[in-house]
Amino acid sequence: MNAQTYLRFADRLSTWSGKTFAWLIVILMLVVSVEVFKRYILNAPTAWIFDLDAMLYGTLFMMCGAYTLSQDGHVRGDFLYTNMRPRTQASFDLALYILFFIPGIIALIYAGYYYAGDSWRIGERSNVTYEGPPVAPFKTVIPIAGVLVMLQGIAEIIRCIDCLRTGAWAERTKDVEEIDVVEEQLAHSEFVDEESRRAAIEQAHNIDEAAHQRSGTKL
Amino acid sequence: MSDPALGLTMLVLIVAAIMMGFPTAFTMMGLGMVFGYLAFYRPDHHWLQNEVFDLFVQRTYGAMNNETLLSIPLFVFMGYVIERAALVDKMFFSVQLAFRRVPASLAVTTLLVCAFWGIASGIVGAVVVLMGVIAMRPMLSAGYDVRLASGVITAGGTLGILIPPSVMLIVYAAVAGQSIVKLYAAAMLPGFFLTALYLIYIVGWALISPKIAPKLPPDRYKVDVPAWLKSLERGRAQRVLGGLFGALLRPGAAPAGTTYFTVVKNALAASIPVVLTLALFAAAWWYVVIHNAPEAAPAPTKPAAVQEAPATLPEPPGAAPQGEKEGGLQELGTAEAQVEGGAPARESGMPEEVGSLQALPVEGAGQVPENFYAWFWGLAVLSALVLLVYYLRMDGEQLEILKLLVESVMPLGVLTFIVLAVILFGITTASESAGIGAAGALYLAGMSKYPRRVLWSSLVGLLIGGGLGMMRADVVTVIVSASLGAVFAGTALPWAWDLATNKRLLRTIKESTFLTAKTTAMVCWLFVGSALFSAVFALHGGQQLIEKWVLSMNLTPLQFMIVAQAIIFILGWPLEWTEIIVIFVPIFIPLLTHFNVDPILFGTMVAVNLQAAFLSPPVAMSAFYLKGVSPPHVTLNQIFAGMMPYMVIVIICLAIMYVWPGMTLWLPEFLYGR
């Protein structure tokens, strides 16, 4: 398996797992709403609901870590970074991936593996309520999410090396971004004239990028 | 091996790594791991037997179980759905009509819409770009000063991160170990106070030099009144209500050019202010007299607030639906009723965990605060008078504006109001109200695409729910189950229909879901990293060293506050708020007790402070967003010049907050006690 195949594989794996687990937010919303109905209207609260909510939320964010990484969505201090040349960016990134990312995530996988293993062995149950639900599957999320993030991190390292060689970053998979809301809001607007609407929709991504670089010249 | 020097090295390294632009979450994990390993290192143990691994995984698991952070995905999801559901251009148009006679009306409208929409969504870049497209051109072509136009958009765009429900305050609550509910209550007044200061500045400037905001030519805000409605207007004042009412009584003879159905719809729209006011008073009554009366409230009545509040009233938009000065007054009256009438009962309530609520153990059954009845009926009479004047003077134009406002502003206003009211009055926990808010956002999303279908489904649900409620012959149950049925059917049926057929809503929910996943993962992984980092930092004594150093400077509380806020202000230039709150604010929090600063006050001040940081030239991102969508002749320098005064206003606001902490702390103390 060469590097490019791996890169595609990792991106796809992260995106797939992230988008799958992203739907937990809809489930979480439904669970919370139903519980509000049950607790406040039927006066029949559910004992294990706190555990369920936490499990849905915890799984959601842990399992989406790799997806976020593959979309470069983890917050960075981008003030200086965005104004560097790609090669400089890549060399900093490469160094720090090896120095910080790899030890951190390996430790997470290693520690999470034994943490979850202990939990499975003793059949641990949540102590929020008496005889709470088993927590071992939830704890198992830690090492699994760690492995996913690790796989994506290796892909990012390959990206850095690639960029160091070619001098430009490889394109990322297209995905929805926050600024896309501009299109959604303006596409059918009756109050904004056609021309400025189209200009804004087309320029939205450039504007977003330029704003992060605080660059007045690119506008 | 642990050593304060190592702790400081960590701090230096993290600052360096952030400057190099590496994802902060992983920087903190890596640093925490390496330095934690050193701290726990024992030569006689196997190299894999290091307690830092346990620390790391327990901190991670702690973040996964954090009840405060649990509300983040729900609020974020609600925000993304609303962003796609509530059309901001329609909102701008109708609010502009409502405020057409106010000086600098376009600027005032822009600020209000920014603040209102920002309450729901809170993404600075998107707000500024959208308002830049929608509001900038109308303002410039109306001859507004470029500085006024650009300042109001950029300043309004950042308000969303301050006014609850804001994600930033949740993150601060998680970092500082404070209750979200209290922080929300605390940020409420300063948020609106800051908005009010902005408004005073805009209107004042426009009054002093009218040429910066010329009056719009009358044809720019002319409202088209349909011919049939015009035919109903009576007398020189063109009062419309009598004619409308008359037409309503004669189903056989609809005015020329319309149908009886349209007449009914108009009459319903005209009745909305009354309905909202009544519902608000009913909710206040319910809250004080029934909900807070211990043991007197059987479970089935509780929902009344949850469900009746929906009809209650839109808060900021509330000022809008009426559209006229009278309307604004009436609004104030009712809002006061909510606060004055609604809250005293809780005064005796103890501070609640995250607001989960049982009937309060106040002394004596059915305790109602003194003067409640006087206040309640006084305000009721006042509102009735204001409404009466409003209705008597209503002409066809005003009815049209009212209809526009009902359509564009009311749904989101009502939703926001309910979400905030149920949190602040301790009816549900923050995460529960976030869940309801997200579900309500789905209702709005359905309504934005299929207004008719949602209305009819809601009506069907209303009837079925009401019918089911009849089984228990008590009014409250009927009302509750009817409104629940309406909301449920109005959400579920259109969504099911859409997903089964043309899938127009699928894109909305997909985008919102994926964006929520990315934002939540970003914030929460950052939190995992910082949980490890701060534990190791404290372990090395870095925290202690900083504390000693700060204490050795013998600062007065005022000096400390100024230094702390100045540091955060400067950090706000290059960094995002997530990094500031998660990495740097925790360093100050242990110091707060030394200087007798309330952590709630501090958090609110940080939130206000970051407003200024995000408006400071030459680093403010909003300016660049606005530049991107402005006509070419608008320069960055003009935009920055427009932003400067708002920075000064924010700093004035900070000073007032410090001098008069009551403004921030009054509401939380009032609602939850000390």
Side-chain angles (χ1 to χ4, degrees):
Chain A
M1 186 155 74
N2 70 15
Q4 290 306 315
T5 335
Y6 176 79
L7 199 64
R8 267 198 303 278
F9 159 75
D11 274 356
R12 246 186 247 158
L13 178 70
S14 303
T15 309
W16 175 82
S17 65
K19 288 195 170 176
T20 310
F21 281 93
W23 290 101
L24 289 181
I25 180 60
V26 178
I27 299 175
L28 176 61
M29 179 202 75
L30 292 176
V31 167
V32 170
S33 304
V34 169
E35 173 62 14
V36 168
F37 179 72
K38 278 189 68 195
R39 177 183 307 180
Y40 295 97
I41 291 173
L42 304 182
N43 206 15
T46 318
W48 39 265
I49 206 74
F50 176 77
D51 292 298
L52 181 60
D53 286 351
M55 284 177 189
L56 287 171
Y57 143 78
T59 314
L60 167 73
F61 92 79
M62 287 301 279
M63 295 303 275
C64 292
Y67 167 50
T68 312
L69 184 60
S70 80
Q71 290 293 332
D72 194 19
H74 284 288
V75 63
R76 26 166 118 224
D78 55 6
F79 185 55
L80 296 176
Y81 184 81
T82 44
N83 288 309
M84 298 173 190
R85 277 176 310 151
R87 276 220 171 87
T88 327
Q89 291 179 337
S91 42
F92 275 139
D93 271 3
L94 183 61
L96 295 180
Y97 268 112
I98 293 166
L99 218 58
F100 292 152
F101 180 89
I102 290 186
I105 300 299
I106 285 187
L108 184 69
I109 299 170
Y110 167 78
Y113 177 79
Y114 284 98
Y115 192 59
D118 287 345
S119 181
W120 281 104
R121 206 163 31 255
I122 59 169
E124 188 187 358
R125 284 167 164 271
S126 161
N127 57 6
V128 176
T129 50
Y130 175 70
E131 285 290 286
V135 294
F138 185 38
K139 288 188 171 176
T140 314
V141 166
I142 300 175
I144 294 176
V147 169
L148 282 173
V149 170
M150 190 51 146
L151 290 176
Q152 186 59 41
I154 295 171
E156 296 298 316
I157 290 175
I158 293 175
R159 265 208 179 89
C160 292
I161 296 172
D162 199 46
C163 175
L164 280 178
R165 261 194 302 192
T166 61
W169 288 103
E171 283 277 304
R172 290 185 185 275
T173 343
K174 276 257 171 296
D175 192 39
V176 52
E177 288 173 43
E178 280 180 357
I179 200 76
D180 286 341
V181 70
V182 171
E183 183 187 345
E184 201 137 334
Q185 283 269 346
L186 294 180
H188 303 289
S189 169
E190 302 155 26
F191 305 102
V192 180
D193 64 288
E194 178 69 36
E195 194 192 335
S196 39
R197 230 163 64 188
R198 217 173 13 123
I201 294 173
E202 277 168 10
Q203 285 297 310
H205 285 269
N206 293 341
I207 294 171
D208 198 31
E209 204 179 310
H212 275 273
Q213 295 179 351
R214 273 86 165 177
S215 142
T217 50
K218 297 205 176 165
L219 293 166
Chain B
M1 184 171 110
S2 79
D3 179 359
L6 280 179
L8 287 189
T9 318
M10 280 178 85
L11 204 61
V12 173
L13 279 178
I14 186 120
V15 172
I18 289 175
M19 285 302 151
M20 285 196 246
F22 194 67
T24 316
F26 302 116
T27 310
M28 287 196 290
M29 278 183 206
L31 276 176
M33 240 354 264
V34 172
F35 283 86
Y37 193 89
L38 291 177
F40 284 116
Y41 184 72
R42 299 253 169 68
D44 49 333
H45 279 176
H46 186 260
W47 67 276
L48 274 176
Q49 301 232 314
N50 192 305
E51 283 158 38
V52 73
F53 295 115
D54 302 321
L55 178 71
F56 190 10
V57 76
Q58 272 160 17
R59 288 287 169 145
T60 311
Y61 191 61
M64 291 163 74
N65 266 312
N66 190 315
E67 202 197 353
T68 308
L69 294 177
L70 172 61
S71 346
I72 289 185
L74 290 164
F75 273 124
V76 168
F77 182 65
M78 169 182 157
Y80 282 126
V81 174
I82 285 177
E83 254 192 355
R84 282 157 180 73
L87 289 179
V88 70
D89 57 336
K90 254 188 196 161
M91 222 181 267
F92 181 76
F93 180 68
S94 52
V95 176
Q96 180 215 335
L97 287 177
F99 283 90
R100 64 199 189 282
R101 299 216 171 86
V102 175
S105 67
L106 281 176
V108 170
T109 306
T110 307
L111 186 71
L112 288 179
V113 172
C114 273
F116 177 51
W117 204 62
I119 288 177
S121 107
I123 295 155
V124 177
V127 180
V128 172
V129 168
L130 274 174
M131 290 311 286
V133 177
I134 293 165
M136 190 76 168
R137 270 163 210 270
M139 278 197 274
L140 293 182
S141 59
Y144 276 44
D145 189 275
V146 176
R147 284 168 302 159
L148 174 68
S150 51
V152 77
I153 293 179
T154 43
T158 45
L159 276 174
I161 56 172
L162 166 65
I163 302 176
S166 100
V167 176
M168 173 155 74
L169 292 175
I170 306 181
V171 178
Y172 178 83
V175 166
Q178 296 295 323
S179 116
I180 309 180
V181 190
K182 276 189 170 182
L183 267 165
Y184 274 6
M188 225 50 205
L189 284 180
F192 289 121
F193 180 66
L194 186 62
T195 317
L197 284 182
Y198 285 175
L199 278 178
I200 292 171
Y201 167 70
I202 297 168
V203 175
W205 189 15
L207 284 178
I208 292 170
S209 61
K211 66 174 190 304
I212 56 136
K215 270 208 174 323
L216 295 180
D219 62 301
R220 283 291 310 278
Y221 55 78
K222 213 174 148 295
V223 188
D224 286 328
V225 182
W228 69 268
L229 197 58
K230 256 201 152 55
S231 73
L232 294 180
E233 290 178 345
R234 299 274 179 276
R236 277 186 48 223
Q238 303 182 323
R239 286 172 189 158
V240 80
L241 219 62
L244 189 64
F245 197 63
L248 201 60
L249 291 180
R250 292 190 305 271
T258 185
T259 57
Y260 183 65
F261 186 59
T262 321
V263 175
V264 174
K265 272 203 299 196
N266 277 278
L268 281 179
S271 69
I272 295 266
V274 179
V275 173
L276 290 181
T277 315
L278 280 180
L280 179 67
F281 276 96
W285 179 271
W286 168 84
Y287 182 76
V288 175
V289 178
I290 302 176
H291 180 269
N292 278 350
E295 306 308 315
T301 54
K302 283 196 173 177
V306 185
Q307 270 324 313
E308 220 161 288
T312 307
L313 115 167
E315 195 145 20
Q322 278 73 20
E324 278 289 296
K325 284 200 190 96
E326 301 92 280
L329 260 181
Q330 177 262 340
E331 192 47 45
L332 276 180
T334 48
E336 228 172 286
Q338 176 75 7
V339 181
E340 302 288 347
R346 292 203 64 71
E347 241 177 334
S348 45
M350 59 257 137
E352 268 161 343
E353 260 298 354
V354 193
S356 89
L357 186 105
Q358 323 85 328
L360 287 173
V362 261
E363 329 77 77
Q367 169 117 17
V368 171
E370 340 162 37
N371 296 338
F372 169 71
Y373 291 101
W375 271 104
F376 184 86
W377 291 116
L379 286 168
V381 169
L382 187 70
S383 318
L385 278 176
V386 171
L387 273 180
L388 197 68
V389 172
Y390 172 64
Y391 275 117
L392 282 182
R393 296 182 44 180
M394 179 187 263
D395 55 18
E397 222 172 49
Q398 271 173 316
L399 182 61
E400 286 297 310
I401 295 175
L402 177 64
K403 275 180 355 200
L404 281 173
L405 285 170
V406 165
E407 210 179 290
S408 62
V409 180
M410 193 192 70
L412 181 54
V414 170
L415 179 68
T416 319
F417 183 82
I418 298 166
V419 169
L420 287 179
V422 293
I423 305 181
L424 292 183
F425 289 102
I427 296 166
T428 64
T429 65
S431 54
E432 280 169 343
S433 78
I436 309 170
L442 290 185
Y443 181 86
L444 294 191
M447 198 152 78
S448 72
K449 296 273 196 298
Y450 309 103
R452 267 158 202 284
R453 214 173 285 272
V454 169
L455 279 184
W456 285 115
S457 319
S458 301
L459 204 61
V460 171
L462 188 81
L463 292 177
I464 296 177
L468 286 176
M470 291 293 205
M471 292 197 299
R472 288 190 36 179
D474 100 65
V475 186
V476 177
T477 314
V478 176
I479 296 177
V480 168
S481 60
S483 26
L484 268 184
V487 172
F488 177 74
T491 315
L493 293 182
W495 271 88
W497 183 82
D498 178 83
L499 295 183
T501 55
N502 54 15
K503 300 196 168 54
R504 278 168 68 199
L505 287 171
L506 191 63
R507 181 169 166 206
T508 304
I509 195 160
K510 257 189 173 170
E511 286 189 357
S512 317
T513 309
F514 300 154
L515 283 173
T516 307
K518 285 196 273 189
T519 307
T520 311
M522 184 265 280
V523 174
C524 296
W525 276 82
L526 194 62
F527 204 85
V528 169
S530 95
L532 176 68
F533 181 86
S534 57
V536 173
F537 185 58
L539 198 72
H540 277 298
Q543 183 67 45
Q544 235 178 344
L545 199 70
I546 289 189
E547 270 171 53
K548 254 194 225 144
W549 179 62
V550 173
L551 291 180
S552 73
M553 289 194 289
N554 276 327
L555 295 173
T556 63
L558 176 63
Q559 285 168 328
F560 166 75
M561 204 62 171
I562 292 175
V563 170
Q565 298 293 344
I567 293 175
I568 287 166
F569 178 73
I570 292 168
L571 287 171
W573 293 351
L575 299 182
E576 308 252 351
W577 63 260
T578 33
E579 293 165 309
I580 297 172
I581 302 269
V582 171
I583 307 169
F584 295 100
V585 167
I587 297 177
F588 294 108
I589 289 173
L591 291 166
L592 295 180
T593 39
H594 290 297
F595 292 101
N596 261 330
V597 179
D598 190 314
I600 302 258
L601 177 67
F602 185 75
T604 320
M605 287 181 72
V606 168
V608 174
N609 186 351
L610 287 180
Q611 304 276 319
F614 292 156
L615 290 176
S616 40
V619 282
M621 268 175 24
S622 325
F624 295 93
Y625 278 112
L626 185 60
K627 170 75 181 106
V629 285
S630 298
H633 68 80
V634 177
T635 65
L636 263 173
N637 282 341
Q638 282 175 315
I639 298 178
F640 283 133
M643 287 157 73
M644 288 294 279
Y646 295 91
M647 261 178 74
V648 177
I649 297 178
V650 173
I651 292 168
I652 294 174
C653 180
L654 275 178
I656 297 178
M657 282 170 74
Y658 184 79
V659 175
W660 184 34
M663 177 170 68
T664 314
L665 299 177
W666 172 77
L667 191 60
E669 275 168 15
F670 187 60
L671 290 174
Y672 317 112
R674 269 162 204 280

